[in-house]
Amino acid sequence: MLSKIAVIGGGNIGGVLIQELVRRRLARTVALVDVKGPELAKGKCLDIAEGSPVISSDIKVEGSKEYDVIEGADMVINTAGVPRTTRPDGTLPTREELLATNLKITDAVSAGIQKFCKDAMVISIANPLDAIVYRLYQNLQPSRARLIGMAGVLDSARYRYFIAQEAGISVENVEAMVLGGHGDNMLPIRSACRIAGMPVEKFVSPEKLDAIEARTRKAGGEVVKLLGVGSAFVSPAWSALEMAEAIIFDKKKIMAVSALLEGEYGVNGLFIGVPAILGAGGMEKVIEMDLTDSEKEAFKKSVESVQKTKDEVIAMTK
Ligand code: APR
């Protein structure tokens, strides 16, 4: 249990996060900041606090429009940002189109973290994922162990779910990794996908796997279309909590996270989804996976698209 965990942004994802943080008793104090009026954060926290006797919880839950509520937090989970929403003409903005708006929000978030809890471990969820994490890095200059983005855990969970459905096998038996940027060029790593330790191809045909991998790449958009308003929020919150728990309980668990590469995979200075060990030290080690030639090629493509967004961040924030 940590002393204090702060959630920034109390919308759909932030709302699930605070209730789960309290229910799972991951910190003695859970704080929420959201600029939305009249007092969205205060209201969401009061709702949970008033329910706390029912779940026998003495966890303190505090919400505010002001950033001082996050003072002294050991861990920050950042969800502040505009989600992808269907336009009136039925089309979807790309994650990159959200960039301009979300960069401004990210600068406000960074200022809050810098002022009130600059040593906190930061897990960021806002999109476009890899670019927002990079902006936080530019602003906060933390060690790479203390700043990671949540995307790979969710993308891998989606891949695992689709495989489990197709194979008619429990999700618990499906192990998978989705690497690369959190966009259309993400990479479900078929060579690392196992069902109860056996190669996935034993259970699912190559054609079906192609279709599942294509669906995985577009899975966020599929939910956005179905919802009509906003984007997926329960699965992203659970995925960030998976990362938080690995750190809080020093699990040394390997999962796909957006981490700053310092030469691994031949890449330097870019946040992108790779397998990493999460423990008490935060992002403790990047693991270099053995990829097939075509997977290496696909990873290179994904690096190029994340680099493009990073360049846009640099250009837009000059
Ligand atoms: N500081 C704090 N909170 C802010 C700020 C800010 N500067 N700017 C916006 N917010 C808040 C909004 O008021 C809103 O309540 O962030 C919240 C975002 O919540 P939702 O709009 O419900 O979005 P959500 O579905 O939770 O997604 C958040 O995560 O997956 C990504 O693409 C998604 O970028 C989006 C983010």
Side-chain angles (χ1 to χ4, degrees):
M1 182 186 250
L2 296 184
S3 174
K4 182 166 177 174
I5 300 181
V7 174
I8 303 186
N12 280 336
I13 299 178
V16 176
L17 281 172
I18 51 168
Q19 50 169 302
E20 286 284 314
L21 288 167
V22 169
R23 259 185 8 89
R24 299 183 190 193
R25 294 168 168 75
L26 295 181
R28 282 186 285 282
T29 301
V30 174
L32 175 69
V33 60
D34 194 305
V35 293
K36 203 181 255 178
E39 284 285 3
L40 177 88
K42 207 170 245 176
K44 287 210 171 176
C45 289
L46 182 61
D47 181 26
I48 292 172
E50 288 173 355
S52 61
V54 181
I55 60 163
S56 305
S57 160
D58 283 304
I59 307 289
K60 206 166 148 195
V61 208
E62 307 174 311
S64 178
K65 278 169 100 163
E66 306 299 334
Y67 271 82
D68 58 2
V69 74
I70 71 171
E71 182 154 27
D74 311 291
M75 178 180 278
V76 168
I77 307 181
N78 172 39
T79 78
V82 175
R84 286 209 289 174
T85 295
T86 314
R87 294 190 188 107
D89 66 0
T91 60
L92 285 176
T94 62
R95 289 189 178 89
E96 281 69 23
E97 282 174 283
L98 297 179
L99 185 57
T101 312
N102 285 352
L103 277 178
K104 283 200 197 98
I105 294 175
T106 305
D107 285 352
V109 168
S110 309
I113 296 173
Q114 185 67 43
K115 183 159 180 199
F116 294 108
C117 52
K118 64 178 175 45
D119 296 324
M121 172 75 219
V122 178
I123 299 173
S124 188
I125 306 180
N127 275 321
L129 193 276
D130 305 283
I132 295 297
V133 182
Y134 181 72
R135 184 64 184 157
L136 287 168
Y137 176 73
Q138 278 187 315
N139 289 335
L140 298 170
Q141 297 287 314
S143 72
R144 72 167 179 166
R146 286 195 298 110
L147 173 61
I148 42 179
M150 188 297 295
V153 175
L154 172 59
D155 297 328
S156 306
R158 286 170 167 159
Y159 188 38
R160 288 169 64 195
Y161 172 69
F162 299 147
I163 298 272
Q165 289 289 102
E166 182 58 39
I169 303 285
S170 165
V171 291
E172 288 181 54
N173 281 142
V174 184
E175 197 190 359
M177 276 280 171
V178 177
L179 307 185
H182 186 50
D184 295 345
N185 286 327
M186 69 177 76
L187 261 75
I189 306 294
R190 192 181 299 186
S191 65
C193 186
R194 294 274 186 282
I195 298 185
M198 292 170 267
V200 66
E201 289 95 338
K202 192 173 164 67
F203 299 85
V204 184
S205 70
E207 297 73 32
K208 291 272 191 219
L209 283 168
D210 286 343
I212 286 172
E213 287 157 12
R215 186 178 177 194
T216 302
R217 288 190 199 95
K218 302 269 183 198
E222 185 181 350
V223 175
V224 171
K225 278 195 196 123
L226 289 168
L227 292 177
V229 59
S231 52
F233 55 99
V234 176
S235 52
W238 286 352
S239 301
L241 288 161
E242 175 87 349
M243 295 163 67
E245 287 188 344
I247 294 167
I248 294 165
F249 301 117
D250 192 20
K251 286 189 175 183
K252 314 287 186 204
K253 191 164 177 178
I254 297 178
M255 53 188 89
V257 305
S258 180
L260 182 68
L261 295 187
E262 292 175 341
E264 297 91 350
Y265 296 90
V267 178
N268 226 318
L270 201 68
F271 279 87
I272 190 162
V274 288
I277 300 176
L278 300 195
M283 197 288 292
E284 297 185 349
K285 189 178 183 345
V286 169
I287 307 288
E288 292 200 71
M289 258 174 119
D290 298 324
L291 302 177
T292 63
D293 284 345
S294 66
E295 286 164 351
K296 274 186 198 151
E297 202 46 48
F299 189 76
K300 215 172 124 204
K301 240 175 117 186
S302 192
V303 166
E304 281 162 12
S305 62
V306 175
Q307 179 66 47
K308 201 170 141 247
T309 322
K310 175 184 158 183
D311 293 343
E312 278 168 33
V313 172
I314 293 169
M316 287 164 90
T317 54
K318 251 190 196 142

